[in-house]
Amino acid sequence: QVRLVDSGGGIVQAGGSLTLSCAASGRSFRNYAMGWFRQAPGKEREFVAALRWSDRDTFYANSVKGRFTISRGNANDTMYLQMNSLKPEDTAVYYCAANVIGRNWAPWANWRGISSWGQGTQVTVSS
């Protein structure tokens, strides 16, 4: 069974940076993609970024492209989201996610297509 534990959220001023971590366990992730979604109050959970575990191919939402970087550790099953140039509109609960890889990134377009979730970590960006 996949277990995801995400951490690293906090309060930061606009323009600042944060790094989120997601520790994964329970199985081999060779055939998985992992990524991040976020959910602001009163809004739908939305895709942020994803990474294919085997070849580190990445996929980003347009709203974070060029500011956020998703990566994975070399020696452990940990995923990271480096967030730079943060904006108040980035404020949300960020959720680590994992799913068996498909033929493309289509399942990541909607949170309902994802099978495994972390508990969430709050990111607050003050103006």
Side-chain angles (χ1 to χ4, degrees), residues 43-99:
K43 293 190 175 181
E44 185 87 355
R45 190 171 296 191
E46 65 174 6
F47 170 73
V48 176
L51 175 147
R52 192 159 54 208
W53 210 251
S54 58
D55 62 5
R56 303 173 189 251
D57 186 34
T58 57
F59 178 51
Y60 293 93
N62 288 334
S63 59
V64 306
K65 203 173 293 184
R67 300 188 298 123
F68 291 10
T69 302
I70 189 171
S71 63
R72 55 162 287 196
N74 289 322
N76 55 20
D77 288 337
T78 301
M79 178 181 62
Y80 305 96
L81 185 68
Q82 173 69 42
M83 305 185 293
N84 298 327
S85 303
L86 283 161
K87 305 174 181 180
E89 52 263 43
D90 294 318
T91 295
V93 178
Y94 283 70
Y95 295 91
C96 176
N99 210 53

